[in-house]
């Protein structure tokens, strides 16, 4: 495995750890304010699964895009757009189904999805304080 792919693997691991931290924080705070704890937990779990799906799908898409990009920039751009549209379509369909049904709180689903954004912001801290290694300090 080359250095860039190894770095991407570490970044994905750090991103998923950040998502988990955010979801645990959202669980700890939100559980006190929810009318139905079960609906809140289900919504947060759905959102977390969507965030994890999005992170992993982005990772796979970027790797494939790097393979395509060797000489075919327009094909790589088209693939990148298609992959992003698939991610957003899955999120919208699941969120729309959650809004139409009454088995989970849509706000909790949204909060879970925002774990992807929070995980991206937390990633430098998880890299520095959790996944640091000796090579980073040299």
């Amino acid at each position: 495995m080359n250095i860039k792919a190894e770095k991407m693997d570490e970044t994905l691991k750090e991103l998923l750890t950040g998502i988990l931290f955010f979801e645990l924080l959202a669980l700890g705070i939100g559980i006190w304010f929810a009318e139905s704890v079960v609906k809140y937990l289900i919504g947060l779990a759905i959102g977390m699964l969507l965030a994890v799906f999005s992170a992993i799908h982005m990772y796979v898409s970027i790797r494939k895009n790097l393979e395509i990009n060797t000489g075919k920039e327009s094909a790589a751009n088209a693939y990148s757009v298609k992959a992003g549209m698939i991610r957003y379509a899955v999120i919208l369909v699941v969120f729309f189904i959650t809004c139409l049904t009454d088995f989970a709180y849509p706000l909790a689903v949204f909060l879970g999805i925002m774990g992807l954004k929070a995980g991206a912001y937390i990633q430098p801290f998880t890299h520095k304080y959790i996944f640091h290694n000796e090579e980073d300090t040299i």
Side-chain angles (χ1 to χ4, degrees):
M1 187 181 303
N2 62 19
I3 300 296
K4 287 184 181 180
E6 195 172 293
K7 181 71 174 166
M8 283 179 56
D9 291 341
E10 291 175 14
T11 304
L12 178 65
K13 188 179 3 172
E14 294 162 359
L15 177 63
L16 293 176
T17 303
I19 291 171
L20 179 65
F21 282 152
F22 177 78
E23 300 299 337
L24 289 174
L25 181 67
L27 174 68
I29 293 173
I31 205 163
W32 296 103
F33 300 106
E35 287 181 26
S36 172
V37 175
V38 174
K39 286 183 181 182
Y40 180 76
L41 290 175
I42 292 171
L44 196 61
I46 291 170
M48 182 182 71
L49 290 174
L50 286 172
V52 169
F53 160 77
S54 294
I56 293 172
H57 189 263
M58 275 190 270
Y59 170 76
V60 171
S61 298
I62 289 171
R63 288 194 61 150
K64 187 170 181 183
N65 199 358
L66 289 174
E67 292 172 7
I68 293 173
N69 202 17
T70 55
K72 299 181 236 174
E73 187 175 326
S74 63
N77 288 340
Y79 177 78
S80 178
V81 169
K82 183 178 101 176
M85 296 300 283
I86 289 170
R87 271 193 306 278
Y88 289 126
V90 168
I91 289 172
L92 285 175
V93 166
V94 172
F95 191 72
F96 186 69
I97 290 170
T98 305
C99 287
L100 290 178
T101 60
D102 193 34
F103 69 93
Y105 287 145
L107 187 59
V109 174
F110 178 76
L111 189 62
I113 294 169
M114 287 298 107
L116 181 63
K117 299 289 185 189
Y121 287 122
I122 296 171
Q123 186 272 333
F125 299 105
T126 58
H127 174 75
K128 185 175 181 179
Y129 296 112
I130 296 175
F131 292 104
H132 65 279
N133 49 10
E134 296 300 320
E135 294 173 4
D136 289 342
T137 58
I138 295 175

